[in-house]
Amino acid sequence: MSKVRVGIVGSQFVANLHAEAFRCVPEAELHAVASPDPQHAGEFSARHGIPHRFTDYREMLRLDELDVITVACPNHLHAQVAIDAARAGKHVVCEKPLAMNLDECDAMIDACRRAGVLLLYAEELLFAPKYVRAKALADEGALGDVYYVRQLECHYGPHSDWFWDVNLSGGGVLMDMGCHSIAFGRWVYDNAPIESVYAELGTHVHGERTRGEDHSLCILRFEGGRLAVAENSWARTGGVDDRAEVYGSQGLTVADLLRGSALTTFSQRGYGYALEKAESTAGWTFTMFEETWNYGFPQEMQHFVRCVLGEEEPRSSGEDGRAVLEAICAAYASARTGQRVSLPFEAARAARKPIDLWLGE
Ligand SMILES: NC(=O)c1ccc[n+]([C@@H]2O[C@H](COP(=O)([O-])OP(=O)(O)OC[C@H]3O[C@@H](n4cnc5c(N)ncnc54)[C@H](O)[C@@H]3O)[C@@H](O)[C@H]2O)c1
């Protein structure tokens, strides 16, 4: 294999981040994009210099020379796209959350295993340079025995309508952004099994727009009573806030992914772009630079390409995505009953989508 040829399913927000990321990977070549809107697909392929474009991803999968696809479309489509891609012999990079329920996760994992292709779970926080440094500090013992990890990812709500429709998204902010925070906690604890989950959910600001929760607090308990807290919001103004804290018996580290990396700017008139989902650029703002790199997308795609080439072992797989989704399901169930929920949480299988375990549907 000379270059790894990549096809992207989707052409909007995260698809752009994927394309920008792959353009930084010397061993990768952006080869095709599939998106149902021909105008979007056309603009996307022109912007990123992609030779092939399709309105039906199944046609893209017929390209023999394609090695890997990225699933960058709404959550309810992840499983079908990934399974079709695996059957077509393509490696799969799948955006978070892995799928809408555990049965879908298992079907994706099984399809990829049978086809002998990789299922790579795209959790970019595991590649964000500042968080990689925090994890390295924990691993070298700088903090002593780690007993508490807190990860927070918040903004004022997503950019596309489908996120707000729980039938397409599977849930609110816990499903959308809790998956990042839960994955981060698992990673710091070397993907140790989660023993139990407790959660509080609420819809404080966007009740007219969604049945999903717009604020969530989730406590995950690992072996030995070690804790991770996932704190997530679609109700928080001021642009994206993404932070992690890791506490150990002999130290702690605090990482602010966006504001800590940003310029501090004052502008009376405002300016073009400051930070993801910032409502305003007037007054004092945090001006991000190299945002894609600070989030870890190029590093993530570099790693996935090396996995496809057989040079590295996946740091984030379908099984990891499944474990995160199982914790999300347990959190929804906990928020309904007010009780801590133990894992494995087989009752999650009864739910077509995670939020049903909270709404009682
Ligand atoms: N890792 C991250 O930080 C991150 C950030 C944003 C979104 N995401 C995830 O990425 C996925 C996409 O989110 P987004 O923000 O890019 O959404 P978006 O609404 O910006 O884009 C969705 C894209 O999917 C396309 N699409 C819809 N139906 C399709 C179909 N049948 N076949 C092919 N394409 C189809 C749309 O045309 C659009 O191009 C979601 O699963 C989301 O959770 C991850």
Side-chain angles (χ1 to χ4, degrees), residues 14-340:
V14 95
N16 266 310
L17 293 169
H18 287 189
E20 278 178 33
F22 278 114
R23 288 169 70 175
C24 303
V25 179
E27 305 95 320
E29 184 181 303
L30 283 173
H31 194 64
V33 59
S35 188
D37 183 324
Q39 194 186 335
H40 286 173
E43 285 167 6
F44 188 85
S45 59
R47 190 180 318 129
H48 297 291
I50 301 175
H52 303 281
R53 58 176 187 265
F54 300 87
T55 49
D56 183 339
Y57 75 85
R58 287 166 298 193
E59 281 176 30
M60 181 175 85
L61 295 178
R62 290 201 195 103
L63 294 176
D64 277 344
E65 67 274 21
L66 208 57
D67 300 303
V68 54
I69 63 125
T70 75
V71 183
C73 55
N75 300 347
H76 70 294
L77 301 169
H78 287 190
Q80 193 59 57
V81 173
I83 291 166
D84 288 343
R87 287 184 181 149
K90 314 302 180 197
H91 299 285
V92 178
V93 171
C94 186
E95 261 308 328
K96 54 61 51 182
L98 188 63
M100 294 286 276
N101 57 51
L102 295 186
D103 285 344
E104 284 190 357
C105 292
D106 289 339
M108 293 162 81
I109 291 168
D110 186 56
C112 289
R113 190 173 292 137
R114 279 172 196 269
V117 296
L118 297 172
L119 176 54
L120 301 158
Y121 179 57
E123 177 45 73
E124 77 277 2
L125 293 192
L126 277 49
F127 301 87
K130 208 179 259 186
Y131 289 167
V132 168
R133 189 75 181 98
K135 163 80 167 141
L137 284 173
D139 287 350
E140 78 170 71
L143 314 179
D145 295 326
V146 175
Y147 59 86
Y148 180 51
V149 182
R150 176 170 175 254
Q151 211 282 334
L152 171 157
E153 200 173 278
C154 303
H155 55 57
Y156 200 61
H159 45 276
S160 288
D161 289 342
W162 67 264
F163 284 96
W164 304 88
D165 179 347
V166 296
N167 291 316
L168 306 181
S169 58
V173 70
L174 171 62
M175 183 78 173
D176 180 37
M177 285 152 63
C179 52
H180 288 302
S181 304
I182 294 169
F184 183 84
R186 285 186 77 242
W187 177 55
V188 173
Y189 290 131
D190 297 322
N191 295 341
I194 299 166
E195 289 185 346
S196 69
V197 178
Y198 172 79
E200 293 280 352
L201 307 180
T203 309
H204 301 282
V205 174
H206 299 296
E208 292 189 357
R209 192 160 185 202
T210 182
R211 299 177 66 218
E213 72 290 349
D214 60 20
H215 192 265
S216 79
L217 184 68
C218 182
I219 301 173
L220 305 123
R221 194 183 159 98
F222 292 76
E223 195 180 36
R226 294 173 300 166
L227 296 179
V229 161
E231 195 175 327
N232 302 96
S233 190
W234 280 352
R236 193 176 149 154
T237 51
V240 179
D241 192 7
D242 199 308
R243 282 184 269 149
E245 297 165 15
V246 182
Y247 296 82
S249 55
Q250 294 177 308
L252 66 102
T253 188
V254 175
D256 183 333
L257 198 62
L258 302 170
R259 287 165 176 74
S261 306
L263 291 79
T264 315
T265 306
F266 182 83
S267 166
Q268 284 186 333
R269 51 182 291 194
Y271 56 103
Y273 179 86
L275 169 82
E276 191 191 333
K277 295 184 175 64
E279 293 97 332
S280 163
T281 57
W284 284 106
T285 49
F286 300 98
T287 311
M288 235 354 234
F289 67 100
E290 296 284 357
E291 200 170 20
T292 313
W293 187 83
N294 277 301
Y295 269 127
F297 284 101
Q299 302 88 327
E300 175 185 57
M301 295 311 172
Q302 172 78 74
H303 167 67
F304 287 159
V305 164
R306 287 185 180 150
C307 291
V308 166
L309 292 169
E311 294 169 1
E312 290 182 12
E313 282 300 307
R315 246 190 269 170
S316 180
S317 68
E319 283 78 3
D320 294 306
R322 186 196 189 282
V324 169
L325 194 73
E326 186 183 24
I328 287 173
C329 290
Y332 278 115
S334 165
R336 180 171 177 77
T337 60
Q339 305 292 313
R340 199 191 267 174

